[in-house]
Amino acid sequence: MSDSYHSSYPYVDRDVSWMYFNHRILQEAMRENVPPLERLSFLGIYSNNLDEFFRVRMATISRIATMHGKNVAEEKRHANNLFSRLSEMNDKLSEEYADAVKKVEHVLEDNGIPIVNQDMLSDEQRHYVKCLFREKISGFVSPVWINHLYEFSHEDDDRIYLAIELSGPSRKTDYAVVKLPVDTCGRFIQLPSEDGKTYVMYLDDVIRLCLPHIFPGMGFTEFNAFSFKFTKDAEMDFDNDLHVGPLEKIAKAVKSRKSGATLRVIYDRNMPQPLLISLMKKLKLDKLDTIKPSGRYHNHKDFMSFPASGRTDLKYPIWRAVIKPELKRSESLLQIVAEKDRFVHVPYHTFDYVVRLLQEAAVSKNVKSIKITLYRVAKNSKIVEALIAAARNGKKVTAVVELLARFDESSNIHWSRKMQDAGVNVVFGVEGLKVHSKLVLIGTKIGKDIAVIGSGNFHEGNAKVYTDYFLMTGNPAITKDVASVFSFIKRPYRPVTYKHLLVSPNHMRDYFHDLIDAEIKNAKKSLPAFIHIKINHITDEDMVERLYEASKAGVDIKISVRGNCSIVTGVKTVSENIKASGIIDRYLEHARLFHFHANGQDKVFLGSADWMPRNLDNRVEVITPVFDPEIKSDVINTINYALSDNTQARVVDGTGSLKIQDTGSDKPFRSQEELYQRYSEINRQEIEKL
């Protein structure tokens, strides 16, 4: 039965499949063979994912469920049913999550890292914490009396708060709220070691211990603090004033997000009823909002920055990025790429090669122009610094900045202004279409232009944890098409054609249709036919139906999908030739890779697009064919490794299964580890040739 209210074939709603995905992350935190500090990090990732899910997806569903009008009854009914189902799933997972936190904390304690509260401190530790509070924390703690709060609409929803009950023999009970200064002080305080153990304390409990110092001389003798957090609708309100530029418009809209409606509240179940009632009045909730009693601590996304205490033995072994000897530092990367297509597969290879290419372009007298698309950039971006240097060196530099990259709008605004000040021509994309493609085009005076096409952002931080490909090429057939993409972004009203690139919203969907249809025709002729894909999300109903048609025809379909997957596999006469799995491991799987048998021609592609309606219809996305035989072989190998994983790959079949994929091999195969070892061996062999 379909989860979509307008699909007649098996289909899992994207949000239900997302809950399955986040459950896989939670399961990784429960696995005893995962190092304890990594398990804690997975708990943080799960919590952070859930916050964003409520801010974006649950908020959207809630808005649909409360729409008014004669023609929206079916959409409202579906949204209400979906909201209820997701809420029920979240309740069950919340119980599992709380149990997981307790288990991981016990494992940490067994390994000499106990997490203690204010009642568990020794005299020496108590003295240390109080001194720390006075010297480094107290100046950032600013309580507000709850009866002076008009509402919470302008408070940050990605923080943790303490609701405080104060009383005394000569004072009427009063209530206050404190926002924990996590940004400036950190969520966890590492205490001096005792008995060979490293003690860690929540900032929450530091504040609890020091409440008498926060409210001195007021007659209060009893202090009780109860944590809570809330999540708001992350939708932004846009100013339609035609006289306001895009940069100012988005900046204003980002500020409007702070006043979004509250849609989820999590609070300490021990909070006294009068305090809870006062708090809820300020949060202004409605009937569809989630109100959930929970434990003593919230905002466990902070687990991602838990102090490692020097315990490398409780983390994954370090994998240092593999060097590519052919990309020698002493030689011109521009020349090396002009001679032959090159690639880097991060984080197995270092992202520095992409940075170096732009740094060289910034100073090369043969380079006349640089064009780049920027969706997300690092906090201290070497990429942007290279662009600024290029502009100062007289190059014509154009940066297409996507101001609507969710939750990175403020950062992108900051970098846009900095680039503009340096003389970079900053373009704010195409109205109505997010520019999500990952492109660089380096124009030269003599010789070949150089292009970079990636599956991930030009972001040094992401490149250390996200698996992505970056193809660097001087192939004129590709660079000419990349130039056409930039022309389309500049003038979207002009017709443009592409000879090799798959570009959305122009014709990417149709091109993929043709590739799938070709496999169907070959299968019907009893010729070999397969489709092997490594991707983040597949939710587009048309593409799901196309894959079902291919399965019916006998096409072998294997998919490694990280996140949302709307396909129900193994359904007789519908999807029995489709297998899907999702890998959760030390790196976040992010590369979008495609391999079609094509009657032995092995058509291989990589790029920025998932198979979702937004990617195929509402964004500027680019997928490139891979022509170089060595790079093509590497991409195929990466896909096959993912499909062969039998230690980290869970079955994705539409049921929420957490089973590890059975590949028929008795030998454990962990694809990320195998890839790292393979690249390391290639590096060793290349060095021996020198």
Side-chain angles (χ1 to χ4, degrees):
M1 186 173 178
S2 174
D3 274 347
S4 172
Y5 64 93
H6 49 80
S7 291
S8 57
Y9 50 85
Y11 182 90
V12 181
D13 186 276
R14 62 171 283 187
D15 297 306
V16 172
S17 71
W18 184 91
M19 294 293 276
Y20 294 157
F21 155 67
N22 215 30
H23 194 187
R24 295 197 290 274
I25 292 175
L26 178 56
Q27 190 206 31
E28 192 68 8
M30 296 284 282
R31 298 180 75 180
E32 294 182 0
N33 62 335
V34 176
L37 289 174
E38 303 293 353
R39 292 173 67 179
L40 207 62
S41 182
F42 279 117
L43 290 172
I45 294 168
Y46 174 92
S47 180
N48 186 63
N49 286 351
L50 193 61
D51 285 347
E52 290 195 7
F53 182 74
F54 267 87
R55 296 179 75 190
V56 180
R57 294 303 307 162
M58 291 293 272
T60 299
I61 296 166
S62 178
R63 285 196 300 273
I64 295 172
T66 55
M67 286 191 307
H68 300 287
K70 296 180 181 179
N71 301 318
V72 296
E74 185 67 14
E75 290 179 89
K76 286 185 64 174
R77 182 192 64 79
H78 177 71
N80 272 289
N81 290 342
L82 181 59
F83 194 95
S84 296
R85 182 175 180 186
L86 294 172
S87 297
E88 183 179 342
M89 293 175 74
N90 180 53
D91 287 345
K92 291 180 179 178
L93 290 178
S94 294
E95 294 177 7
E96 192 173 328
Y97 182 81
D99 183 54
V101 170
K102 291 178 183 177
K103 288 182 178 178
V104 176
E105 287 180 345
H106 285 317
V107 173
L108 285 174
E109 186 170 1
D110 291 342
N111 281 276
I113 306 180
I115 299 176
V116 295
N117 62 39
Q118 76 276 15
D119 298 324
M120 301 164 65
L121 303 177
S122 67
D123 291 340
E124 292 80 4
Q125 289 173 331
R126 185 178 295 269
H127 176 72
Y128 173 83
V129 170
K130 287 184 176 181
C131 289
L132 180 72
F133 176 80
R134 286 195 302 269
E135 295 171 7
K136 296 186 177 181
I137 300 175
S138 62
F140 299 104
V141 177
S142 302
V144 178
W145 297 109
I146 202 165
N147 58 353
H148 287 171
L149 276 173
Y150 175 65
E151 57 179 87
F152 275 91
S153 61
H154 291 285
E155 299 293 333
D156 295 326
D157 69 335
D158 58 347
R159 304 295 184 89
I160 191 74
Y161 294 82
L162 290 180
I164 304 166
E165 179 188 56
L166 307 98
S167 60
S170 59
R171 287 296 307 261
K172 178 183 176 183
T173 298
D174 211 340
Y175 306 119
V177 172
V178 168
K179 177 166 61 178
L180 296 190
V182 174
D183 285 353
T184 51
C185 304
R187 183 68 186 284
F188 298 99
I189 307 299
Q190 186 171 318
L191 308 182
S193 297
E194 291 185 4
D195 304 322
K197 296 181 179 180
T198 301
Y199 292 85
V200 176
M201 188 175 183
Y202 278 92
L203 179 63
D204 318 33
D205 292 329
V206 173
I207 303 298
R208 286 186 172 100
L209 176 67
C210 298
L211 283 173
H213 305 290
I214 299 174
F215 300 93
M218 296 184 185
F220 296 115
T221 56
E222 291 290 330
F223 303 89
N224 293 293
F226 308 89
S227 63
F228 71 95
K229 65 178 285 187
F230 57 93
T231 307
K232 294 192 293 190
D233 187 339
E235 190 69 15
M236 297 187 298
D237 295 324
F238 291 95
D239 190 337
N240 292 321
D241 186 350
L242 297 177
H243 297 93
V244 177
L247 204 64
E248 292 75 17
K249 191 177 291 187
I250 302 299
K252 187 175 180 180
V254 171
K255 291 180 181 178
S256 78
R257 177 182 280 156
K258 292 188 70 175
S259 59
T262 302
L263 48 87
R264 179 177 66 144
V265 180
I266 300 176
Y267 65 92
D268 187 333
R269 62 172 53 88
N270 294 316
M271 187 182 296
Q273 195 68 13
L275 176 54
L276 179 61
I277 292 171
S278 297
L279 195 60
M280 293 304 169
K281 286 180 180 178
K282 300 296 181 180
L283 288 165
K284 295 190 174 181
L285 306 170
D286 65 35
K287 64 180 182 180
L288 278 181
D289 293 332
T290 300
I291 305 171
K292 188 170 184 60
S294 187
R296 180 183 176 90
Y297 308 105
H298 313 304
N299 246 34
H300 280 137
K301 68 177 184 179
D302 296 322
F303 278 151
M304 289 188 286
S305 56
F306 190 85
S309 310
R311 295 294 301 276
T312 56
D313 59 313
L314 302 182
K315 295 180 69 68
Y316 288 131
I318 294 174
W319 290 353
R320 301 194 183 281
V322 175
I323 304 300
K324 303 195 76 172
E326 74 270 22
L327 303 180
K328 298 175 185 176
R329 179 165 289 278
S330 60
E331 297 183 14
S332 165
L333 268 183
L334 291 170
Q335 184 60 38
I336 290 172
V337 173
E339 293 170 356
K340 184 182 183 299
D341 287 2
R342 308 290 180 172
F343 80 99
V344 291
H345 186 185
V346 299
Y348 306 104
H349 300 130
T350 176
F351 184 70
D352 286 350
Y353 295 120
V354 178
V355 175
R356 274 181 52 206
L357 189 72
L358 284 167
Q359 288 174 335
E360 181 184 335
V363 297
S364 172
K365 293 186 177 181
N366 189 43
V367 170
K368 60 183 179 180
S369 64
I370 301 174
K371 296 179 180 179
I372 188 170
T373 59
L374 296 174
Y375 192 75
R376 302 186 197 276
V377 294
K379 184 177 181 181
N380 299 305
S381 177
K382 296 177 184 177
I383 294 288
V384 174
E385 292 298 339
L387 298 175
I388 289 172
R392 289 175 174 167
N393 283 324
K395 320 294 182 187
K396 186 177 181 181
V397 182
T398 301
V400 180
V401 179
E402 180 48 69
L403 292 179
L404 291 177
R406 194 180 296 275
F407 304 129
D408 273 337
E409 299 94 347
S410 296
S411 174
N412 287 359
I413 289 170
H414 162 75
W415 283 116
S416 295
R417 287 173 172 156
K418 189 169 182 179
M419 286 189 288
Q420 285 177 330
D421 290 343
V424 175
N425 176 32
V426 179
V427 178
F428 299 118
V430 182
E431 188 170 351
L433 297 172
K434 279 189 178 182
V435 179
H436 189 252
S437 53
K438 325 298 182 183
L439 301 175
V440 172
L441 182 63
I442 300 171
T444 60
K445 298 174 183 177
I446 301 173
K448 294 179 179 179
D449 291 345
I450 301 298
V452 180
I453 304 174
S455 65
N457 297 306
F458 297 111
H459 188 302
E460 297 95 304
N462 286 1
K464 293 179 180 178
V465 291
Y466 286 34
T467 67
D468 275 307
Y469 268 83
F470 293 92
L471 173 69
M472 299 180 285
T473 180
N475 185 332
I478 297 298
T479 57
K480 186 176 180 180
D481 272 4
V482 171
S484 295
V485 176
F486 281 105
S487 296
F488 168 74
I489 292 171
K490 185 177 180 181
R491 299 182 181 87
Y493 48 85
R494 289 189 178 182
V496 61
T497 57
Y498 308 97
K499 289 187 177 180
H500 298 285
L501 295 184
L502 287 64
V503 182
S504 66
N506 303 71
H507 72 290
M508 183 182 291
R509 180 186 292 276
D510 292 339
Y511 202 118
F512 275 128
H513 284 178
D514 292 343
L515 289 166
I516 296 172
D517 289 346
E519 297 300 324
I520 291 174
K521 289 179 182 178
N522 287 334
K524 288 181 176 179
K525 294 177 183 177
S526 298
L527 295 172
F530 67 67
I531 301 169
H532 294 169
I533 301 170
K534 186 175 182 299
I535 201 167
N536 291 334
H537 310 292
I538 299 180
T539 64
D540 185 83
E541 295 189 19
D542 173 60
M543 298 305 291
V544 170
E545 189 170 13
R546 291 269 173 168
L547 291 177
Y548 285 160
E549 290 301 317
S551 174
K552 291 177 186 177
V555 178
D556 175 60
I557 302 169
K558 292 186 175 68
I559 304 169
S560 176
V561 54
R562 187 196 82 217
N564 304 338
C565 184
S566 296
I567 298 170
V568 181
T569 65
V571 178
K572 193 172 182 180
T573 73
V574 176
S575 58
E576 52 195 315
N577 289 313
I578 303 177
K579 291 183 179 180
S581 59
I583 295 170
I584 304 294
D585 205 345
R586 65 187 294 161
Y587 297 144
L588 180 75
E589 296 290 342
H590 195 251
R592 291 89 165 186
L593 311 174
F594 308 86
H595 179 198
F596 297 85
H597 183 268
N599 200 22
Q601 296 180 45
D602 287 320
K603 292 187 176 181
V604 176
F605 304 83
L606 67 85
S608 62
D610 292 309
W611 282 0
M612 302 179 76
R614 69 185 188 189
N615 302 102
L616 298 172
D617 302 325
N618 301 313
R619 290 183 173 185
V620 178
E621 303 272 16
V622 172
I623 297 286
T624 182
V626 179
F627 294 133
D628 182 89
E630 290 182 19
I631 302 176
K632 180 185 285 191
S633 175
D634 192 88
V635 173
I636 291 173
N637 184 74
T638 296
I639 296 173
N640 289 340
Y641 271 32
L643 299 177
S644 302
D645 195 308
N646 59 13
T647 66
Q648 302 298 130
R650 279 83 167 175
V651 172
V652 177
D653 59 5
T655 68
S657 169
L658 294 175
K659 293 186 299 183
I660 297 296
Q661 176 176 243
D662 182 2
T663 60
S665 173
D666 294 331
K667 183 180 178 181
F669 190 90
R670 182 183 176 191
S671 59
Q672 291 188 1
E673 184 174 26
E674 295 291 338
L675 272 172
Y676 181 74
Q677 296 299 334
R678 177 176 179 271
Y679 285 132
S680 298
E681 177 61 20
I682 291 173
N683 173 61
R684 186 189 64 79
Q685 292 175 2
E686 291 297 323
I687 290 175
E688 288 180 354
K689 292 178 184 177
L690 298 177

